[in-house]
Amino acid sequence: MTLETITKLAQAGFAGNPTIVLGSGASMPHGLPSMGDLATYLQETLKPNDQAEAESWTLVQQSLSDGDHLEAALEGKNIPPTLLKAIVNHTWECMNEKDYELFRLMASGGEIFPLGRLFSALFNSTNTTVNVVTTNYDRVAEFSCNSARLLFQTGFTPGYLQKWEANGGVNFQRNGKSARVVKIWKVHGSLDWFETADGGTIGLPVFSLPPGNILPLIVTPGLNKYEKTHQDPFRSTISGADSALGNAAAFLCIGFGFRDQHIQPKIVERCRERNVPIVVLARTLTGEAKSFLRDKAGSNYLGIEEAVGGSTAYTSDCPDGEFVDVEGLWSTDGFINLVT
């Protein structure tokens, strides 16, 4: 496979103003924890408070010891509400610790955000909106917009006490015209989303858990994923994400493992109906990602992962992958260099 072939497929995806899908692999280069890191953190820090919690948590730990990933280990378990709350809070603490470190680096100018460069490149055209669908709780996408001086929407009004807007947030204008904006659809919630004691939803741009009965609004792997999604802000966010995915002219998936049932079916449907270009980038493609590319992505796909001394590229002509003597093609920066 030639670099020219890879470049043409990458450019086809880029030219379509792709809907961008971010998984945990998009945040890990910035020091954010993987699902494996989160699993380790939970095992090291979470301490059950009673026998019911202990028995339930033992089953989860046994699944992890047997080799299950975190979501599989948590699925199908009878988790007491008090233990679920502890898992949510510990998950928030784990992610927030690294998110805050990244915020401090950004504020001091000590971090480079390739996603910001990507967003800017997509706006170097007639595009007025870039849609980002993500399962991540962290604020890497938001920090990336800030680094590139781009406006973004997550569904909340600006401010310190942010109100949820079910219609997708406020509209920004510059010089009397609609501003270009990155719409970030966070289908599993965000570190700055919270539920109040009366069941309301607020956004708080904080880096420590607020006092009182304010709980993080994040959907933890395998547990309350489907329980909470019929309520706002998740209901409206998933609806917006579905629209972005269902109308996409192309897809760019970065660090996404194709294990999430909120996102993957829409991508499969779009690829099957319209055979839209899709690019999947990851340091290591999951088995699910490779299976998707081979069996469900149509014929206009490109998958790239890291290989020793270069990269491995997957296309419809080379579904089992082929080594390319160019390093870093799987990274966001590597992709940008192919298309700009």
Side-chain angles (χ1 to χ4, degrees):
M1 186 185 306
T2 66
L3 185 60
E4 180 181 5
T5 299
I6 294 172
T7 300
K8 286 182 178 179
L9 288 168
Q11 290 177 339
F14 180 80
N17 184 25
T19 291
I20 299 171
V21 180
L22 302 179
S24 60
S27 296
M28 288 166 59
H30 294 286
L32 273 295
S34 66
M35 285 296 103
D37 295 330
L38 175 57
T40 299
Y41 181 90
L42 290 174
Q43 291 185 90
E44 291 177 347
T45 61
L46 196 150
K47 307 299 180 186
N49 289 316
D50 56 36
Q51 184 175 351
E53 288 189 10
E55 291 175 354
S56 178
W57 189 236
T58 296
L59 293 176
V60 173
Q61 290 180 306
Q62 183 61 54
S63 292
L64 292 170
S65 298
D66 290 342
D68 289 338
H69 57 76
L70 182 59
E71 183 161 357
L74 291 169
E75 281 181 342
K77 304 294 191 300
N78 183 19
I79 307 289
T82 52
L83 181 59
L84 173 58
K85 180 179 177 180
I87 292 172
V88 169
N89 285 342
H90 279 70
T91 297
W92 191 94
E93 294 284 3
C94 177
M95 295 293 175
N96 177 73
E97 178 182 350
K98 298 299 183 182
D99 194 73
Y100 180 49
E101 290 179 11
L102 183 59
F103 170 76
R104 294 178 64 182
L105 281 172
M106 179 189 68
S108 66
E111 185 77 5
I112 297 173
F113 291 87
L115 277 176
R117 185 183 168 205
L118 174 64
F119 298 154
S120 294
L122 287 167
F123 282 130
N124 190 23
S125 64
T126 59
N127 297 332
T128 58
T129 302
V130 171
N131 281 292
V132 176
V133 179
T134 181
T135 55
N136 299 340
Y137 317 129
D138 61 63
R139 289 167 275 206
V140 168
E142 293 93 317
F143 296 161
S144 297
C145 291
N146 289 156
S147 73
R149 300 183 180 180
L150 295 172
L151 297 172
F152 67 84
Q153 294 176 347
T154 60
F156 286 82
T157 59
Y160 290 98
L161 184 62
Q162 301 169 353
K163 177 185 176 183
W164 170 250
E165 295 285 346
N167 63 359
V170 298
N171 294 318
F172 296 107
Q173 290 191 340
R174 277 180 170 159
N175 299 322
K177 298 181 180 180
S178 293
R180 292 178 170 182
V181 64
V182 179
K183 292 187 176 181
I184 307 172
W185 306 101
K186 307 187 78 169
V187 296
H188 290 177
S190 181
L191 292 175
D192 47 13
W193 297 8
F194 297 93
E195 181 179 350
T196 58
D198 61 358
T201 298
I202 56 173
L204 298 172
V206 297
F207 292 94
S208 61
L209 282 174
N213 295 321
I214 296 180
L215 303 175
L217 265 180
I218 57 176
V219 179
T220 47
L223 289 177
N224 53 350
K225 177 178 291 188
Y226 305 105
E227 171 189 337
K228 283 184 171 292
T229 51
H230 68 283
Q231 307 168 356
D232 269 335
F234 299 105
R235 180 179 58 186
S236 297
T237 299
I238 291 172
S239 177
D242 284 349
S243 179
L245 295 167
N247 294 298
F251 293 105
L252 172 58
C253 304
I254 303 175
F256 180 64
F258 287 83
R259 290 170 173 161
D260 188 88
Q261 294 307 309
H262 285 152
I263 296 176
Q264 183 174 338
K266 288 292 182 181
I267 300 177
V268 172
E269 180 181 346
R270 190 65 173 166
C271 290
R272 182 173 58 243
E273 290 181 351
R274 296 295 181 91
N275 197 29
V276 299
I278 180 166
V279 179
V280 180
L281 308 174
R283 183 186 293 274
T284 303
L285 294 172
T286 63
E288 292 88 344
K290 291 179 181 179
S291 176
F292 162 78
L293 291 172
R294 184 178 58 252
D295 302 327
K296 300 176 181 178
S299 59
N300 293 327
Y301 72 81
L302 171 66
I304 310 177
E305 65 179 345
E306 186 179 40
V308 177
S311 307
T312 301
Y314 300 80
T315 68
S316 59
D317 291 331
C318 298
D320 295 324
E322 188 170 312
F323 178 79
V324 183
D325 189 19
V326 181
E327 295 184 342
L329 291 178
W330 64 272
S331 68
T332 304
D333 270 331
F335 174 78
I336 296 170
N337 291 338
L338 287 174
V339 299
T340 57

